[in-house]
Amino acid sequence: MAEKNEKLATVDPVPAEEEAKTKEKKEMEKMKEEDMKPKTKEDEEEGDEMSEEDRKLKETLELLVKQVQKDFAAEKDEALQKSAIDKLRDHVRSSTSSMTSVPKPLKFLRPHYKELKEFFESMRAGSNKKLLADILSVLAMTMGKQSRESLKYKLIGSDEPLGSWGHEYIRNLSGEIGVEYNERLEKEEKTEDLIKLVDEIIPFNMKHNSEADACDLLMEVSMLDKIQEYVNKDNHARVCRYLLSCSDYLSDEEEITKLMKIVSTAYRKCGQMCDSLRVAIKLNDPALVKEIFDESKGIEKRQLAFVIGSVKYPIGEFEDDEEEEELLDIIGNVPLTKLYNTLAMELDVQDAKTPEDIYKSHLADSVSNRLQRSRPANVDSARKNLADSFVNGFVNAGFSKDKVITPKGSDWVFKNKDHGKISAAASLGMVYLWDTDVGGNEIDKYSMSKQKQVKGGALLGIGICCAGVTGSMSMALALLSDYVEENDATTKTMATLGLGIAYCGTGNEEVSEILLKLVSLESESMEIASIASLALGMVFAGTANEEISAAILDVYLFADENQCKDTSAIYLCIGLGLLYLGQRDTCEPILEATQATENPISKYMSLTIETCAYAGTGNVLLIQKLLKEASEHIDDEKINRHQAVAVLGLAMVSMGEDLGKEMIVRSMDHILQYAEVNVTRAVPLALALLNVSNPDVSIMDTLSKLTHDADQQVSQNAVLALGIIGAGTNNSRIAGLLRQLSSYYSREPNHLFLVRIAQGLLHLGKGLLTLDPLLSDGLLLSKSALAGLLVVLHSSLDMKNTLLGKRHYMLYCLSCGMRPRMLMTVDEKLQPIAVKVRVGTAVDTAGKAGKPKTITGFQTHKTPVLLAHGERAELATDYYISMTNVLEGVVIVKKNPDAVDEEG
């Protein structure tokens, strides 16, 4: 019996062995079948290229996958499974730490992803299942499906640090979290588990220099506030630069405001008060600007004053002590004339130039021109003298001397006829630009004249001389306020416009008290009411002042049809538009009021307000609306004037943002080809607004073609546009084009007048001044500069009745935006000091890894230096420390106690 039992015991294991053998046999057959399958070209190449090491790795991974998939029952067996999973994790983890291509382990494990997923579903809950979930989460990243499986398995997986799986995994996971978060918000589901992952990802990204990824994720989950915890002196510059570049692409007003405040706070936290102030100015938050200004001390506070002065931002009242008075003078640009003269002396351009030096008629002296001149020509000497007055003023702007009007005994003003005397006398203000001490006395002589045009021109000249100079001893208000109440219309108009130019962008309350009385049709004509509205709009540009907007709206609502058809009515529209400059949706109530009436200029008015309100914002919806307005076919010239405003608006909305600007330039080509003539007339002006003081070759070529256009107004606008894009650059190519045009249009007085104006603008301040409204590396939009440009561009839409008629003096509104295109370094006592700087083309480094160069193709100079559009400067050595990171305008520097380099 015992023997029988022994035999049975030996027979028992046989079936189990046979089962194992049959299972193995099946697997072998399966593998053979796979081998028999026709191989693709990729498989063959992979097989041929695979090294011995790769083959071994592939076999090891396949073996581990098999071990993981075994259905273990005992605890001991679970330990074996854990061992296999751990080995698999180690292989995957080691390969994902830095990814330059698809890592080998992930490549070899991809075919097993589906079977591992199926096995995972059948696994018992426990630690092994969580560990496998981590591996599946990483593998899901390589599958390229939009199912968010990577996030799904991570949420099921273990609590191990995410960073151990590498940057690429975290980047992939961040993208899936953003989509999942927004979906859950729509369905009103809980998001705590996602927030937990976010809280783990952000510190990892910030620690490993992936600030852009951290910001993107926080913006996706609407928690950008959390970035403040991780911002420090080492990373704040990269974080803030990236967030500022993102602000151009946000559409929601609240989101933009929130982002800007976060950036401003981050800069303040890291002691960068100047950068914080710039962001506060861009945000248009007077309370925050004042708070940052009051918080700073010493020379840093003076540097902030220079920044505020360059933008002409209204800062409010000060306490009456010595330091405050000095700061008020800096904000009021009082030191500007002295520093500008230092720049002229250093660059050796102090000698006065005559209009003929600019025209260089001898260079355009061809045989055909001589033949033309030999024939009797319709020479308009008054028009020629008028052009010379403007050119002389523009070229010698700010130098306080010229060869035409300032020499003793000069009777130049009286060589002009009638209304020409206004601009001739006002050109004296342009020559004495910012030099209020000398200029005030010289111009005041003409204000005593008995000829009303000369007197009016002198009053306008005083305003021009004081443009932007509003220090503690500002003279424009004292000299001009009495003349505003005179009975003579010319005197009243010029004094009013003079106040507008002098205090443009300052928000001076005393000016509003004086001028508000004139914004009424009960006691004043439409012209005076319109000019007063314009002056108030210039002074309070971008403040959305309710009292002034209500007064202007009253004039608009009570004006009859004939008054609205008057050319001066456009200045009423511009005045109201300027009040809402950059105010975005604050303009909604006033828009509704203007659209509610059937006034002949209601569309002109509403589009002017809307385009001003969204200037520089890149608002896509408004651009679509404006393109639609411009594309309509309206034949009646009385009701299609607003279409030109829509074209100008396209340039205004997209200016300051490179991508939007490129797209609008392309749209302008389409408008030129397909739109009606009345619409194409505004295209040259729009192109000029996009490239102020920036002679871009492609734009120059387009405008050059348009100067010979069959339509007279298109060609006239194109000539003026050439002057604006080259303003203050001395660009030789534009100078050549304008000389050719002066020959071509030698028998057309109107065209020739505009060619001369363009030549004067090209050589503005002998090449030391700019009209560019963008400052601080393109971050800020100067409202006063844009206001001056808009007045001239809107006037150009009806050139015949404005600049070519009796309102040529409107060209002087450009003085609101004139500023030296310099970098001037001064010491702590505000005395000019020569410092080595590198000047080159600016490079956008937002979101770039490491410490990339901010300029390219640079040259090293000693200050003062001139900066062209798109150029940036940086200190060449560490011998000095600058009080601001943006080297532009006036920069205060101090010696660096830890300097390594020597200043040579």
Side-chain angles (χ1 to χ4, degrees):
M1 193 71 181
E3 282 174 19
K4 198 177 180 182
N5 285 341
E6 276 173 24
K7 279 179 185 178
L8 283 169
T10 53
V11 172
D12 271 343
V14 175
E17 280 174 23
E18 279 179 10
E19 199 177 310
K21 277 179 185 176
T22 53
K23 198 174 181 182
E24 201 173 312
K25 201 175 178 183
K26 279 179 184 175
E27 280 179 9
M28 289 291 285
E29 282 172 6
K30 196 177 179 182
M31 284 171 76
K32 274 180 187 175
E33 276 176 30
E34 282 178 8
D35 288 340
M36 291 294 285
K37 278 181 189 174
K39 287 189 175 181
T40 62
K41 194 178 178 184
E42 286 177 12
D43 291 337
E44 282 172 15
E45 281 176 10
E46 196 178 295
D48 294 341
E49 287 174 17
M50 202 181 287
S51 65
E52 191 61 38
E53 194 182 338
D54 288 352
R55 199 172 279 110
K56 271 186 183 177
L57 177 62
K58 189 177 181 184
E59 286 168 6
T60 307
L61 291 170
E62 283 173 354
L63 190 67
L64 288 170
V65 168
K66 279 179 190 172
Q67 282 185 327
V68 167
Q69 286 178 291
K70 282 186 181 176
D71 193 13
F72 295 111
E75 282 182 24
K76 190 173 97 176
D77 297 335
E78 270 194 25
L80 288 171
Q81 190 183 45
K82 186 178 185 301
S83 171
I85 292 172
D86 284 343
K87 283 177 185 172
L88 207 55
R89 281 159 65 87
D90 289 342
H91 278 293
V92 173
R93 191 179 280 150
S94 63
S95 66
T96 54
S97 56
S98 67
M99 279 197 190
T100 49
S101 60
V102 179
K104 293 277 185 350
L106 292 184
K107 196 174 179 183
F108 298 147
L109 285 171
R110 277 187 70 179
H112 304 287
Y113 177 65
K114 194 175 177 183
E115 56 188 277
L116 281 171
K117 260 171 70 179
E118 288 168 2
F119 174 72
F120 175 81
E121 298 302 328
S122 63
M123 274 179 87
R124 287 195 301 273
S127 60
N128 284 4
K129 188 167 185 175
K130 286 187 175 182
L131 294 172
L132 183 58
D134 287 349
I135 295 171
L136 286 170
S137 179
V138 179
L139 282 178
M141 171 176 70
T142 65
M143 299 315 290
K145 293 177 183 173
Q146 300 297 316
S147 54
R148 299 198 291 282
E149 287 187 338
S150 188
L151 176 60
K152 171 189 159 186
Y153 287 117
K154 181 60 228 169
L155 292 171
I156 300 167
S158 67
D159 294 332
E160 276 197 17
L162 291 171
S164 60
W165 297 104
H167 285 273
E168 200 59 43
Y169 173 67
I170 283 191
R171 190 174 286 132
N172 178 68
L173 201 60
S174 299
E176 293 189 7
I177 288 170
V179 179
E180 179 72 20
Y181 181 86
N182 289 317
E183 266 190 28
R184 288 198 195 178
L185 277 187
E186 282 176 24
K187 295 174 185 173
E188 297 182 359
E189 294 175 0
K190 289 183 179 179
T191 56
E192 284 80 3
D193 51 347
L194 298 178
I195 302 304
K196 191 182 172 188
L197 284 177
V198 170
D199 290 339
E200 192 177 343
I201 290 170
I202 300 305
F204 176 85
N205 279 338
M206 295 299 284
K207 189 180 174 184
H208 293 86
N209 302 326
S210 296
E211 294 89 358
D213 292 341
C215 294
D216 285 342
L217 178 57
L218 287 173
M219 280 192 272
E220 281 291 335
V221 297
S222 307
M223 291 182 179
L224 196 55
D225 293 344
K226 288 193 175 186
I227 202 78
Q228 300 282 24
E229 300 168 31
Y230 307 102
V231 171
N232 55 43
K233 286 202 171 183
D234 297 325
N235 62 25
H236 79 275
R238 287 195 297 276
V239 171
C240 295
R241 200 182 301 122
Y242 183 73
L243 288 176
L244 282 174
S245 66
C246 290
S247 67
D248 291 330
Y249 302 101
L250 294 176
S251 56
D252 187 53
E253 181 70 29
E254 286 181 17
E255 281 181 27
I256 295 168
T257 306
K258 185 181 173 184
L259 184 142
M260 290 289 187
K261 283 190 174 172
I262 287 168
V263 173
S264 182
T265 309
Y267 274 132
R268 265 170 95 180
K269 177 184 168 185
C270 299
Q272 301 296 328
M273 302 302 282
C274 220
D275 290 325
S276 181
L277 180 87
R278 282 191 179 93
V279 177
I281 291 172
K282 186 174 173 70
L283 190 57
N284 199 14
D285 188 338
L288 185 59
V289 171
K290 190 82 169 69
E291 190 183 315
I292 294 166
F293 186 72
D294 291 340
E295 197 180 303
S296 56
K297 291 180 176 66
I299 56 169
E300 187 177 52
K301 196 164 193 172
R302 290 182 191 174
Q303 182 64 66
L304 297 193
F306 275 117
V307 173
I308 293 167
S310 68
V311 187
K312 298 177 187 169
Y313 194 83
I315 188 83
E317 295 298 318
F318 284 108
E319 297 163 16
D320 289 324
D321 60 50
E322 287 178 21
E323 190 194 9
E324 300 298 340
E325 194 171 307
E326 183 193 7
L327 290 169
L328 198 63
D329 282 350
I330 294 172
I331 289 169
N333 291 310
V334 173
L336 190 59
T337 183
K338 184 184 170 188
L339 295 169
Y340 180 61
N341 285 324
T342 305
L343 174 72
M345 190 170 66
E346 288 285 335
L347 300 177
D348 196 23
V349 289
Q350 286 177 299
D351 294 341
K353 285 194 174 186
T354 62
E356 188 49 47
D357 294 336
I358 302 306
Y359 303 154
K360 293 182 180 170
S361 304
H362 61 282
L363 293 178
D365 201 15
S366 62
V367 176
S368 58
N369 293 343
R370 283 199 293 273
L371 279 170
Q372 267 192 338
R373 284 206 298 274
S374 65
R375 297 177 193 138
N378 179 21
V379 178
D380 186 349
S381 60
R383 182 53 64 95
K384 181 186 178 300
N385 287 351
L386 181 61
D388 287 353
S389 296
F390 279 109
V391 173
N392 181 61
F394 287 146
V395 173
N396 297 299
F399 286 91
S400 301
K401 61 178 177 181
D402 71 332
K403 293 179 180 177
V404 175
I405 197 167
T406 56
K408 278 189 177 178
S410 169
D411 61 348
W412 177 257
V413 172
F414 303 99
K415 283 184 181 178
N416 290 270
K417 285 184 183 175
D418 303 330
H419 53 82
K421 289 175 183 173
I422 295 174
S423 290
S427 71
L428 198 59
M430 190 60 82
V431 174
Y432 287 108
L433 186 65
W434 309 317
D435 190 358
T436 53
D437 294 344
V438 180
N441 295 327
E442 291 296 321
I443 302 165
D444 205 34
K445 296 172 189 172
Y446 288 97
S447 67
M448 306 299 173
S449 172
K450 290 178 181 176
Q451 293 187 33
K452 59 183 181 179
Q453 286 96 344
V454 176
K455 185 178 181 179
L459 298 177
L460 181 58
I462 289 169
I464 296 164
C465 175
C466 300
V469 181
T470 54
S472 53
M473 302 295 285
S474 177
M475 70 172 191
L477 196 65
L479 291 174
L480 299 179
S481 53
D482 294 340
Y483 293 103
V484 170
E485 292 170 12
E486 285 212 2
N487 293 326
D488 180 61
T490 305
T491 308
K492 188 180 279 192
T493 306
M494 293 304 113
T496 303
L497 187 59
L499 281 172
I501 292 172
Y503 294 95
C504 186
T506 59
N508 190 306
E509 290 293 340
E510 290 178 57
V511 176
S512 75
E513 286 175 24
I514 296 166
L515 297 185
L516 265 175
K517 301 168 191 170
L518 305 182
V519 185
S520 164
L521 289 178
E522 291 174 13
S523 55
E524 306 295 343
S525 66
M526 185 65 179
E527 171 137 8
I528 289 173
S530 297
I531 295 293
S533 301
L534 174 64
L536 284 167
M538 290 164 79
V539 175
F540 290 87
T543 59
N545 186 299
E546 289 180 13
E547 187 184 2
I548 297 168
S549 60
I552 298 173
L553 196 62
D554 281 348
V555 172
Y556 163 76
L557 293 172
F558 292 112
D560 59 40
E561 196 170 328
N562 289 331
Q563 287 172 322
C564 287
K565 284 176 183 174
D566 190 294
T567 311
S568 61
I570 65 167
Y571 300 119
L572 190 76
C573 302
I574 303 165
L576 193 50
L578 291 178
L579 283 174
Y580 292 92
L581 198 60
Q583 286 286 335
R584 297 179 189 251
D585 50 10
T586 313
C587 69
E588 293 298 331
I590 211 88
L591 269 180
E592 286 175 20
T594 55
Q595 288 166 352
T597 58
E598 290 185 11
N599 197 305
I601 56 165
S602 65
K603 275 199 167 182
Y604 193 105
M605 172 80 89
S606 57
L607 276 178
T608 304
I609 295 167
E610 204 168 357
T611 52
C612 285
Y614 288 91
T617 61
N619 188 293
V620 180
L621 294 174
L622 181 57
I623 285 174
Q624 288 174 352
K625 179 185 172 182
L626 294 172
L627 282 169
K628 189 183 174 188
E629 288 282 357
S631 64
E632 287 179 3
H633 296 283
I634 307 169
D635 295 326
D636 189 351
E637 284 196 9
K638 291 176 184 175
I639 56 171
N640 66 11
R641 289 169 68 192
H642 67 279
Q643 289 185 293
V645 181
V647 176
L648 267 184
L650 287 168
M652 277 177 70
V653 175
S654 60
M655 70 191 300
E657 198 271 294
D658 291 337
L659 191 64
K661 184 173 146 184
E662 280 177 36
M663 291 164 77
I664 291 300
V665 169
R666 206 176 304 147
S667 299
M668 291 297 165
D669 285 340
H670 297 161
I671 291 171
L672 280 173
Q673 288 170 23
Y674 305 114
E676 299 293 314
V677 179
N678 66 296
V679 181
T680 57
R681 284 169 184 162
V683 170
L685 303 173
L687 290 173
L689 187 56
L690 283 171
N691 296 273
V692 179
S693 295
N694 175 23
D696 184 88
V697 178
S698 59
I699 302 296
M700 207 188 299
D701 288 344
T702 305
L703 291 175
S704 178
K705 288 170 192 166
L706 292 175
T707 54
H708 296 82
D709 196 88
D711 184 81
Q712 199 175 42
Q713 283 175 263
V714 172
S715 57
Q716 287 174 349
N717 286 345
V719 171
L720 182 64
L722 274 175
I724 292 171
I725 69 164
T729 63
N730 289 351
N731 186 282
S732 57
R733 191 170 173 191
I734 295 179
L737 288 172
L738 291 172
R739 276 198 298 276
Q740 288 168 18
L741 288 169
S742 69
S743 304
Y744 185 77
Y745 288 121
S746 60
R747 300 172 69 80
E748 296 273 348
N750 285 343
H751 279 85
L752 187 60
F753 173 74
L754 288 167
V755 170
R756 296 309 186 203
I757 296 296
Q759 285 178 310
L761 286 173
L762 179 67
H763 297 277
L764 192 64
K766 297 173 202 163
L768 304 189
L769 298 177
T770 180
L771 294 177
D772 192 358
L774 294 168
L775 306 99
S776 287
D777 259 353
L779 178 70
L780 301 178
L781 187 67
S782 169
K783 286 172 183 167
S784 52
L786 187 57
L789 280 165
L790 286 179
V791 174
V792 173
L793 294 176
H794 274 267
S795 299
S796 303
L797 296 176
D798 187 9
M799 191 85 80
K800 186 182 172 184
N801 296 313
T802 54
L803 305 183
L804 297 176
K806 293 184 179 181
R807 295 192 180 92
H808 36 76
Y809 51 79
M810 282 297 173
L811 281 165
Y812 287 123
C813 289
L814 291 173
S815 60
C816 299
M818 288 179 191
R819 60 184 173 88
R821 57 185 188 98
M822 65 178 182
L823 163 59
M824 171 78 75
T825 46
V826 295
D827 60 17
E828 294 165 50
K829 293 177 181 173
L830 306 187
Q831 295 304 310
I833 181 172
V835 175
K836 270 189 179 177
V837 290
R838 285 190 286 260
V839 179
T841 308
V843 177
D844 184 16
T845 57
K848 298 212 174 129
K851 292 184 178 178
K853 299 284 183 194
T854 54
I855 57 173
T856 182
F858 60 82
Q859 291 181 321
T860 306
H861 300 281
K862 276 199 170 184
T863 56
V865 293
L866 296 179
L867 297 175
H869 182 91
E871 282 188 341
R872 188 181 285 162
E874 58 181 37
L875 294 176
T877 65
D878 68 350
Y879 190 76
Y880 288 101
I881 299 171
S882 63
M883 291 292 103
T884 170
N885 292 324
V886 179
L887 301 189
E888 196 177 282
V890 183
V891 175
I892 302 173
V893 294
K894 63 176 183 180
K895 283 185 180 177
N896 182 3
D898 307 319
V900 178
D901 300 324
E902 287 185 18
E903 184 74 4

